[in-house]
Amino acid sequence: QRALLDNDAARTVGDIRSLVTLEWILLVIGLAIAAFVVFVTSRSIVDPIRAMTTAMTRLADGDTAVEVPALDKRDEIGDMARSYQKMQSYLQEISGAAAQIANGDLTVQITPKSSNDALGNAFSEMVGNLRNLIGQVGATASQVASASMELSNVDDRPGASTGAMQQLSKAIGQISEGAQDQAQA
């Protein structure tokens, strides 16, 4: 009986060792699976965020052409990508309007997105102010032209210095024409 008990005890110890070994193997396999899941999940989060961070850095440096890959995700990362694309589109629109203004085109129409649209409101006000200024320059040019005409008629009066008045009148006329040309441009 003692031999049977010793034999059973040895078998039990062997079974326990096998069970411990199996538990270690299962633990290692579980950890490997968990590490793989964490790796795949983190890549699906980190890669799009890294791409958007790069795009935003370039946008902050003035590059409005940098694209963010379209994300079909319906989560916060997808929302962030769509918001970036909307912001990029707006900045391209505003920079295009600024280029038109820089080229002297004041016919550009800038409609602010909201009362909080600092760029849109500033550009809209700037275009309005420039249009008013050009209008004032045009009005002043007309007044100078009128004064020039009056001065050119002064030579007919007795005692007027005809040569000096004609030169003065001619100079004022040239200034007036230049101002009118600038106002029209």
Side-chain angles (χ1 to χ4, degrees):
Q1 244 184 343
R2 183 104 162 114
L4 283 175
L5 282 175
D6 286 341
N7 196 15
D8 283 344
R11 208 174 323 141
T12 303
V13 168
D15 288 345
I16 290 174
R17 283 189 183 139
S18 296
L19 187 58
V20 168
T21 303
L22 181 63
E23 286 176 352
W24 278 107
I25 291 172
L26 290 175
L27 178 66
V28 169
I29 290 172
L31 288 174
I33 291 171
F36 178 75
V37 168
V38 167
F39 175 76
V40 169
T41 303
S42 68
R43 298 272 305 169
S44 71
I45 294 171
V46 171
D47 287 349
I49 289 175
R50 186 175 292 133
M52 287 191 346
T53 300
T54 300
M56 286 183 200
T57 299
R58 289 180 56 194
L59 185 65
D61 290 338
D63 183 359
T64 60
V66 64
E67 297 283 335
V68 169
L71 295 175
D72 295 334
K73 293 184 169 195
R74 297 285 177 215
D75 59 6
E76 291 80 5
I77 294 172
D79 292 344
M80 194 166 40
R82 286 183 286 282
S83 292
Y84 171 85
Q85 290 168 341
K86 185 177 176 183
M87 176 179 60
Q88 177 192 25
S89 174
Y90 171 73
L91 289 175
Q92 287 173 336
E93 178 185 327
I94 279 292
S95 64
Q100 285 181 275
I101 294 167
N103 289 327
D105 181 3
L106 296 180
T107 62
V108 65
Q109 294 295 321
I110 299 171
T111 306
K113 303 289 182 194
S114 71
S115 61
N116 295 328
D117 181 1
L119 280 175
N121 286 311
F123 273 110
S124 180
E125 187 175 334
M126 180 176 63
V127 169
N129 289 343
L130 286 171
R131 287 178 186 157
N132 288 337
L133 181 62
I134 296 299
Q136 291 171 359
V137 168
T140 302
S142 294
Q143 291 172 352
V144 169
S146 176
S148 173
M149 294 298 280
E150 288 178 25
L151 282 176
S152 67
N153 293 333
V154 169
D155 334 316
D156 297 338
R157 296 185 193 153
S161 173
T162 305
M165 285 298 208
Q166 284 179 341
Q167 287 178 346
L168 181 61
S169 174
K170 186 176 178 180
I172 291 174
Q174 289 172 344
I175 292 170
S176 170
E177 286 175 22
Q180 286 176 332
D181 290 344
Q182 286 296 322
Q184 287 177 346

